[in-house]
Amino acid sequence: MNKYEVLGVVGEGAYGVVLRCRNKESGEIVAIKKFKESEDDEIVRKTTLREVKILRMLQHENIVELREAFRRKGKLYLVFEYVEKNLLEILEQQPAGLPPELVRKYIYQLCRAINWCHEHNVVHRDIKPENLLINPDHSLKLCDFGFARTVTSKNRGELTDYVATRWYRAPELLLGDTAYGKAVDMWAIGCIMGELTDGQPLFPGESEIDQLYVIQKVMGPLTHEQTDMFLRNPRFLGLKFPDMSRPETLEKRYVGKLTKKALSFMKGLLSMDPYKRLNAPDALQNR
Ligand SMILES: Oc1ccc(-c2ccc(-c3cc(Nc4ccc(CNC5CC5)cc4)n[nH]3)cc2)c(O)c1
């Protein structure tokens, strides 16, 4: 860390902290993730090694670049490229949403980044506006793989830890389905496409049960399999939803704001059934 000057804190979490730093030799501004725990803790060691392995695998123009990794006094530091803004800030500056061409540009780049992750069997699991970095030329970089996991036929059904910020969390995640996969990222892309279109979060649930409610209010009822999962889940014991047979629909929600093609694309991303949800390769073809 001697060659870096700390300029400020960019983000903080259970893992540690992300700092905005200047390279004293080159003057370059970088983002440095400093892991909290020392490497002595075996679980932390395993999770940080998993994160670095994923990051080293995922070099793509729409994924923030890992410049270097080093250890100092038993702590791991990851040095990344720094991008001035994130999408949350851009949405705060444009509360009525972004022009359709910019929505298309950002969603296309996000689909390219996620397609690259999924081709490498990596599920990001926490796609949200804060994790989408935007350059002045409107190039987009996906960041923060702290929750990312590799999904393979061997570990399918073992992805138990809940992730994803609530508003962007797919129904199967909310219902506690342990066999979830890449489709959770496609759902989040659909949520972000809606938010970019009118500046409002599409499903702003205030709790996990409310999240399932606000989703169904727009998209219609859970599938039969999801209803079974809901009724079997002790977290939701004794709870039931009102009649969801007359949902708002995306058509009504975005009337006059999305072309028919864009609406069809968004509906594909927000299919309640993860097996019917648009996957990343098809999303790229359909843009
Ligand atoms: O596993 C990991 C862990 C961390 C990262 C990561 C890598 C890079 C960044 C980052 C952030 C960033 N720029 C940025 C950071 C924060 C904001 C929010 N506004 C700030 C407060 C004024 C806006 C822009 N540039 N680079 C953030 C996270 C990563 O990409 C993967």
Side-chain angles (χ1 to χ4, degrees), residues 43-88:
I43 294 175
V44 169
R45 218 175 66 77
K46 265 181 76 175
T47 47
T48 49
L49 285 176
R50 174 173 59 197
E51 191 172 335
V52 174
K53 184 167 163 267
I54 286 174
L55 289 164
R56 288 215 158 109
M57 193 168 45
L58 297 177
Q59 287 161 35
H60 184 273
E61 62 179 336
N62 294 119
I63 295 177
V64 73
E65 185 191 356
L66 173 65
R67 293 276 163 79
E68 63 172 309
F70 60 88
R71 276 203 192 89
R72 190 164 184 278
K73 296 181 181 169
K75 286 189 168 51
L76 179 66
Y77 294 80
L78 303 180
V79 182
F80 296 91
E81 66 176 304
Y82 186 82
V83 177
E84 276 312 312
K85 282 191 176 177
N86 67 28
L87 198 54
L88 184 64

Side-chain angles (χ1 to χ4, degrees), residues 125-128 147 160-177 180 183-192 203-205 207-212 214-215 226 235-236 269-272 277:
R125 306 203 300 176
D126 196 21
I127 301 170
K128 57 184 178 181
F147 278 127
T160 51
D161 48 336
Y162 276 107
V163 287
T165 304
R166 186 189 313 125
W167 292 356
Y168 309 94
R169 205 180 291 171
E172 60 269 26
L173 271 175
L174 292 160
L175 291 163
D177 183 352
Y180 68 84
V184 302
D185 285 341
M186 305 317 289
W187 177 274
I189 296 174
C191 295
I192 287 174
F203 303 125
S207 67
E208 291 192 352
I209 187 75
D210 186 52
Q211 191 64 37
L212 284 165
V214 296
I215 287 171
Q226 289 169 342
R235 297 160 77 105
F236 305 125
L269 293 169
L270 293 169
S271 169
M272 292 292 279
R277 210 168 292 155

Side-chain angles (χ1 to χ4, degrees), residues 260-276:
K260 261 177 83 178
K261 188 172 182 187
L263 193 62
S264 164
F265 175 71
M266 191 171 168
K267 284 171 76 173
L269 293 169
L270 293 169
S271 169
M272 292 292 279
D273 184 342
Y275 297 98
K276 291 181 181 166

